[in-house]
Amino acid sequence: MSDSLDVEISPHSESFIQHFGEMGSRWGINRTVGQMCALLVVTEKPLNADQIGAALHISRSNVSMGLKELQSWNLLRAVTVAGDRKDYFTTPDDVWEMARTLIEERRKREIDPTLSMLRSVLLQEQATGEDSYALNKMNDMHDLIELLVSWLNEMQTLKSQRLMKLLKLGSGVNKILDLTDRVSGRS
Amino acid sequence: MSDSLDVEISPHSESFIQHFGEMGSRWGINRTVGQMCALLVVTEKPLNADQIGAALHISRSNVSMGLKELQSWNLLRAVTVAGDRKDYFTTPDDVWEMARTLIEERRKREIDPTLSMLRSVLLQEQATGEDSYALNKMNDMHDLIELLVSWLNEMQTLKSQRLMKLLKLGSGVNKILDLTDRVSGRS
DNA sequence: CCTTAATTTCAGTAATTATTGAAATTTAGC
DNA sequence: GCTAAATTTCAATAATTACTGAAATTAAGG
């Protein structure tokens, strides 16, 4: 059964969708995918591919490719409607969940490959000590990224409530750290 | 006085530079700029534009544009050599400093504009309560991003040593948080 | 199974972004 | 302030990436 193709988009939502389209290029994603994601976020009901295409004035095939892309980012929830053969899509309700997913995926794509590369280069490091300046830099970078990644992973294990509390504390954590230092007598 | 155009690049460094070129596209930067940055990181001595171009096999004008781009990311240190009219460039020695700069710049380009957009949309919010679902989502997103950004800003104020300690603590902070909660009687 | 709706794939084309060489501008030393 | 070296700008073009419509594939309902 074909639903209406008219998806009501308020001016506010329109701004929001446009913005995500423009920002898309600054992220690794393209305009269309950014707009699709934004549309699904601000639309309460799940949408089918035709509705998405109509709302954003893009072709059906472009929608299909965009959905595949969003799926690869784990940002899609598929919904099946009884008596309708079309697939309906929406994004997770909780923006915190989305943020976590986004951070995790970006880590996988943008940081992990560099960590692997650095590991493999440093592993092959000959005993010759040649180009020690460069190897030293790579080592520093490796350690930094490894620390960041393992910290990120630990944060990912926390419940959203806990994470929020931690974030709100901000550099206040520093004071606590200060305290524990003094107690255990470290610098 | 024209230095040699031959910049020695070890196989290790070559892998490193290639990798940053490829990853460049996943970041918002292009291949060439990624390679230039990587080259300057692993090369001890500052390089001039001709040397960079020769090392990466790119045109002089491309180097010029790339340098401008890197400059806009605050990732360049310019060095003047006595008796040489050419400009020499390198990246900051400390990879932690570079990481901080990178995170700050990415925040400015990728997060701040979205925060502004959300603020302005939410500010215009009419009393009508129309499209409340979308406005609600934007509000959630606004609060999340604001929290993240202010946390990032606070972290930026910490000294590298302090930051490292905090990162190493990881979710261990959670236990301390737990403790303070119990002491002050919160959940 | 067969039919038809729905989705995906893909080759061609459009749009965007990156790169170049030549010309213009800037800069430093005389 | 003149000269020559160094750098930047910019219009042309190369390379890449995005988008489309048509054809192929998949999947649901009888």
Side-chain angles (χ1 to χ4, degrees):
Chain A
M1 207 62 342
S2 67
D3 252 89
S4 163
L5 284 189
D6 290 329
V7 177
E8 282 296 323
I9 299 178
S10 74
H12 290 332
S13 296
E14 181 66 32
S15 309
F16 182 82
I17 292 167
Q18 275 319 104
H19 176 86
F20 272 78
E22 284 156 31
M23 292 303 283
S25 34
R26 301 205 191 175
W27 285 62
I29 65 169
N30 71 36
R31 186 161 36 88
T32 306
V33 174
Q35 291 179 339
M36 283 178 55
C37 184
L39 173 67
L40 295 177
V41 165
V42 293
T43 305
E44 188 163 14
K45 292 184 178 173
L47 300 178
N48 64 47
D50 291 320
Q51 291 173 319
I52 295 171
L56 302 177
H57 310 290
I58 58 177
S59 72
R60 182 62 185 72
S61 52
N62 203 1
V63 174
S64 179
M65 285 167 148
L67 286 171
K68 222 170 69 172
E69 173 81 5
L70 282 177
Q71 213 121 43
S72 84
W73 281 86
N74 272 312
L75 286 174
L76 235 44
R77 295 231 177 296
V79 177
T80 44
V81 174
D84 190 338
R85 288 167 63 166
K86 290 197 177 74
D87 293 334
Y88 287 78
F89 300 94
T90 187
T91 46
D93 275 336
D94 180 14
V95 291
W96 276 91
E97 188 190 329
M98 286 189 77
R100 281 162 175 279
T101 303
L102 224 42
I103 289 170
E104 187 182 344
E105 290 297 325
R106 291 194 88 172
R107 176 182 58 68
K108 282 189 204 160
R109 291 157 200 242
E110 301 180 5
I111 307 183
D112 289 358
T114 301
L115 196 53
S116 304
M117 181 273 295
L118 289 169
R119 279 212 180 104
S120 102
V121 167
L122 293 168
L123 214 61
Q124 303 167 23
E125 177 184 2
Q126 295 96 338
T128 63
E130 252 190 280
D131 201 10
S132 64
Y133 181 86
L135 285 171
N136 219 51
K137 267 291 149 61
M138 292 187 220
N139 202 63
D140 288 353
M141 193 178 283
H142 171 273
D143 292 350
L144 188 159
I145 295 177
E146 188 157 71
L147 185 52
L148 270 178
V149 164
S150 67
W151 178 84
L152 266 180
N153 281 340
E154 293 215 51
M155 291 302 114
Q156 292 276 15
T157 66
L158 298 181
K159 294 227 168 62
S160 287
Q161 284 303 94
R162 236 37 207 332
L163 189 58
M164 263 182 74
K165 196 171 279 194
L166 223 57
L167 289 173
K168 276 180 184 146
L169 198 56
S171 61
V173 176
N174 202 31
K175 286 185 192 114
I176 295 176
L177 196 60
D178 230 356
L179 197 69
T180 60
D181 279 354
R182 221 171 302 139
V183 169
S184 60
R186 269 174 282 149
S187 77
Chain B
M1 208 64 336
S2 68
D3 251 89
S4 163
L5 284 189
D6 290 329
V7 176
E8 282 295 322
I9 299 177
S10 73
H12 291 331
S13 296
E14 181 65 32
S15 309
F16 182 83
I17 291 167
Q18 275 318 105
H19 176 86
F20 272 78
E22 285 157 31
M23 293 302 283
S25 32
R26 302 204 191 176
W27 285 61
I29 64 169
N30 71 37
R31 186 160 36 90
T32 305
V33 174
Q35 290 179 338
M36 283 177 56
C37 185
L39 174 66
L40 294 178
V41 165
V42 293
T43 305
E44 187 162 14
K45 291 184 179 175
L47 300 177
N48 64 46
D50 291 320
Q51 291 172 319
I52 295 170
L56 302 177
H57 310 289
I58 57 178
S59 72
R60 182 62 186 72
S61 52
N62 203 0
V63 174
S64 179
M65 285 167 149
L67 286 170
K68 222 170 69 173
E69 174 81 5
L70 282 178
Q71 213 121 42
S72 84
W73 281 87
N74 272 311
L75 286 175
L76 235 45
R77 295 232 177 295
V79 177
T80 44
V81 174
D84 190 337
R85 289 168 62 168
K86 289 198 178 73
D87 294 332
Y88 286 77
F89 300 93
T90 187
T91 45
D93 276 335
D94 180 15
V95 290
W96 276 91
E97 189 190 330
M98 286 189 76
R100 281 162 175 279
T101 303
L102 224 42
I103 288 170
E104 188 182 344
E105 290 297 326
R106 291 195 89 174
R107 176 182 58 69
K108 282 189 203 160
R109 291 157 199 242
E110 301 180 5
I111 306 184
D112 288 358
T114 300
L115 196 54
S116 303
M117 180 273 294
L118 288 169
R119 279 211 181 103
S120 102
V121 167
L122 292 168
L123 214 59
Q124 303 166 23
E125 177 184 0
Q126 295 96 341
T128 62
E130 255 190 278
D131 201 9
S132 65
Y133 182 85
L135 285 170
N136 218 51
K137 267 290 149 61
M138 292 188 219
N139 202 62
D140 288 353
M141 193 178 283
H142 171 273
D143 291 351
L144 187 158
I145 295 177
E146 188 157 70
L147 185 53
L148 271 177
V149 164
S150 67
W151 178 84
L152 265 180
N153 281 340
E154 293 213 54
M155 291 302 113
Q156 292 276 14
T157 66
L158 298 180
K159 294 227 169 61
S160 287
Q161 283 304 95
R162 239 21 198 351
L163 189 57
M164 262 182 75
K165 196 172 280 194
L166 222 56
L167 289 172
K168 275 178 185 149
L169 197 55
S171 59
V173 176
N174 202 31
K175 287 186 191 112
I176 295 175
L177 195 60
D178 231 355
L179 198 68
T180 60
D181 279 354
R182 221 170 302 140
V183 168
S184 59
R186 268 174 284 150
S187 77

